[in-house]
Amino acid sequence: MNISIRLSTNSDLNALEKIERSAFPSFQQSPRRKIRLSINSPFQKVWVAEIKKGKKNLVVGTVIIHQHKKSIRIYSIGLLIEYQGFGIGLR
């Protein structure tokens, strides 16, 4: 499976919402507004994992990192349930 990792953009919002619904129980899901704020924040980075499916790239996972002056914190890691167990998180 060919996996690429890149910084997220606002065009990924639908895919990121789908990952939230797939990976987390409803009480732990971030709403679209919060995901958009994370993407555009100077203190957070949202990375996505995508795979090639046919001629399209499909976003299947995400990690949100909070950056502090002397440290970073992994806030969230999510992967579409149908892609769990394929080693995507190891990348």
Side-chain angles (χ1 to χ4, degrees):
M1 185 177 297
N2 190 12
I3 303 161
S4 59
I5 308 293
R6 64 171 174 79
L7 279 173
S8 182
T9 66
N10 283 320
S11 65
D12 297 315
L13 277 170
N14 289 337
L16 295 172
E17 278 187 307
K18 183 177 179 182
I19 293 168
E20 286 285 322
R21 289 191 304 271
S22 174
F24 304 107
S26 60
F27 71 93
Q28 289 181 329
Q29 294 174 13
S30 294
R32 185 178 184 90
R33 179 180 176 277
K34 187 171 182 181
I35 297 168
R36 186 182 310 108
L37 288 172
S38 293
I39 291 170
N40 296 309
S41 170
F43 305 107
Q44 297 179 54
K45 297 290 183 208
V46 180
W47 293 87
V48 295
E50 56 186 12
I51 62 168
K52 193 83 160 168
K53 191 162 185 174
K55 294 187 178 195
K56 291 183 146 188
N57 289 333
L58 176 66
V59 175
V60 297
T62 183
V63 61
I64 299 174
I65 298 171
H66 289 193
Q67 298 176 294
H68 302 279
K69 188 173 183 173
K70 295 186 179 184
S71 65
I72 60 171
R73 177 176 174 236
I74 297 173
Y75 173 74
S76 175
I77 298 175
L79 190 65
L80 290 174
I81 198 161
E82 59 267 29
Y83 291 95
Q84 293 178 4
F86 292 99
I88 294 171
L90 297 173
R91 310 290 171 153

